Amino acid sequence: MIDFIGKKNIFIVVSLVLIVASLVSMFTRGFNYGVEFLGGSEIILKIEARVDEAYVRNLLQNLAPEFEKSRITQIKSVDDPANITKFSIVVSPKDENGNLRVYTGAEKAKIKEEIVARFKENGKVAYVAGFNETSGYAAQEIKNLTWKAILFTLLAILFYITIRFQFVFGVGAILALIHDVIITLGFFSFFNYELNVAAIAAVLTLIGYSLNDTIVVYDRIRENLRRQRGRSIDTLVNDSINQVIKRTINTSLTTFIVVFILLLFSGNSIKPFAFGMTVGVIVGTYSSLYIASPVVIKWIKK
């Protein structure tokens, strides 16, 4: 039998370190936001040569004023040919009043032609594989709705757990979920992984996944609280976790294998989701075992 509760203080310290590191990274490095959150245009450029971001920036920085401050990121897929490099170029064109705007059809066609021509002049074959745009208003709207979605999800979960169990279980579940969300977002910030709508979908999916795991543990604790009155809460919770640990490991391991394979072999549009889920499954399983239950123990002991 594994002593989960006896070592809870060690894992609480580990969690606090991860949370602090995540918050520091988020407030200092920030996020590599996708064009859905930044607004503007994202150009997906494919070049039939091995070049780096500096080379691309040097060729395109004088294309238009907005290209001087463009965000150029190399993107990769497992099945990309060895002689192909791909880049995501995010630009934020402004109108005469300084407001963010989107390109007209004619402007997009001209930009595509000029990009291809500049690489051709330097002996490289390049083509624009995608040209996606999001207006400034839409980007702000998406950002606001995203944070509201996460907040309302957590409040709905608190309400649900309080009805199904007790308020203390709801608090434990919410703290564990906040722990999961902060650390997962911290990984996005630390590894400079693109935070876009797919990544937020992963965070919301993670909340549901982690909650499901936590409820399984809570359900067993509640059953044992009814059947084994008089036992110490530490022993009872530890026994409860050990009784469901096989189910938790099997579920987490199979889910992890799926999302990790998705991370390795999926296209760039799915990778942020796969990355969020790969990190989230590990963090969510850990919090279900080491974070959610100690909160309940501490509360009941009061």
Side-chain angles (χ1 to χ4, degrees), residues 147-209:
W147 295 121
K148 283 180 183 175
I150 294 176
L151 177 63
F152 287 136
T153 299
L154 293 175
L155 289 176
I157 288 170
L158 177 62
F159 180 69
Y160 168 71
I161 298 290
T162 301
I163 291 177
R164 179 166 174 179
F165 296 93
Q166 298 173 22
F167 182 67
V168 57
F169 287 95
V171 173
I174 291 297
L175 288 177
L177 293 178
I178 292 173
H179 162 279
D180 299 344
V181 170
I182 289 176
I183 293 176
T184 303
L185 290 177
F187 270 79
F188 272 96
S189 173
F190 186 75
F191 288 100
N192 203 32
Y193 225 91
E194 184 173 320
L195 187 68
N196 56 14
V197 171
I200 297 302
V203 172
L204 293 174
T205 306
L206 153 69
I207 290 174
Y209 174 84

Side-chain angles (χ1 to χ4, degrees), residues 71-283:
R71 194 191 72 198
I72 300 176
T73 310
Q74 186 173 353
I75 51 181
K76 297 178 181 176
S77 299
V78 171
D79 56 349
D80 282 344
N83 64 331
I84 293 284
T85 43
K86 292 191 299 187
F87 295 90
S88 163
I89 303 167
V90 177
V91 292
S92 302
K94 302 287 178 63
D95 61 19
E96 60 277 6
N97 297 318
N99 298 320
L100 193 66
R101 68 178 182 88
V102 295
Y103 291 118
T104 63
E107 287 175 325
K108 289 169 69 173
K110 185 181 178 184
I111 287 173
K112 287 180 182 178
E113 288 177 7
E114 290 188 3
I115 289 175
V116 172
R118 293 204 174 192
F119 279 91
K120 189 175 181 181
E121 289 168 4
N122 288 272
K124 303 282 191 303
V125 176
Y127 58 95
V128 176
F131 208 132
N132 309 310
E133 294 179 301
T134 304
S135 71
Y137 176 78
Q140 191 59 44
E141 191 78 1
I142 291 171
K143 195 181 290 184
N144 291 339
L145 289 174
T146 296
W147 295 121
K148 283 180 183 175
I150 294 176
L151 177 63
F152 287 136
T153 299
L154 293 175
L155 289 176
I157 288 170
L158 177 62
F159 180 69
Y160 168 71
I161 298 290
T162 301
I163 291 177
R164 179 166 174 179
F165 296 93
Q166 298 173 22
F167 182 67
V168 57
F169 287 95
V171 173
I174 291 297
L175 288 177
L177 293 178
I178 292 173
H179 162 279
D180 299 344
V181 170
I182 289 176
I183 293 176
T184 303
L185 290 177
F187 270 79
F188 272 96
S189 173
F190 186 75
F191 288 100
N192 203 32
Y193 225 91
E194 184 173 320
L195 187 68
N196 56 14
V197 171
I200 297 302
V203 172
L204 293 174
T205 306
L206 153 69
I207 290 174
Y209 174 84
S210 180
L211 178 67
N212 183 54
D213 234 14
T214 302
I215 284 179
V216 170
V217 176
Y218 279 177
D219 227 12
R220 186 55 57 94
I221 293 174
R222 184 175 60 174
E223 286 178 16
N224 288 336
L225 276 171
R226 289 173 181 165
R227 294 174 182 170
Q228 304 174 29
R229 296 180 185 278
R231 295 183 69 194
S232 77
I233 185 66
D234 286 33
T235 306
L236 189 143
V237 170
N238 201 55
D239 289 350
S240 301
I241 296 174
N242 275 283
Q243 288 166 8
V244 299
I245 187 65
K246 285 185 180 177
R247 180 262 180 207
T248 299
I249 290 175
N250 288 337
T251 305
S252 300
L253 193 58
T254 49
T255 307
F256 175 81
I257 290 171
V258 171
V259 293
F260 187 64
I261 290 175
L262 198 62
L263 176 63
L264 291 180
F265 297 102
S266 66
N268 292 306
S269 58
I270 302 297
K271 275 189 184 296
F273 177 84
F275 178 77
M277 283 302 298
T278 301
V279 175
V281 166
I282 298 171
V283 177

Side-chain angles (χ1 to χ4, degrees), residues 14-64:
V14 170
S15 289
L16 288 174
V17 170
L18 288 173
I19 288 172
V20 170
S22 297
L23 291 174
V24 169
S25 180
M26 282 189 269
F27 284 106
T28 55
R29 294 167 56 91
F31 291 108
N32 175 17
Y33 284 115
V35 70
E36 303 98 322
F37 294 140
L38 288 175
S41 302
E42 180 186 33
I43 300 165
I44 304 298
L45 180 65
K46 287 189 177 182
I47 305 165
E48 294 183 2
R50 304 304 298 174
V51 297
D52 58 17
E53 285 101 340
Y55 181 86
V56 176
R57 183 176 297 283
N58 185 48
L59 282 188
L60 301 183
Q61 61 183 350
N62 298 322
L63 191 65

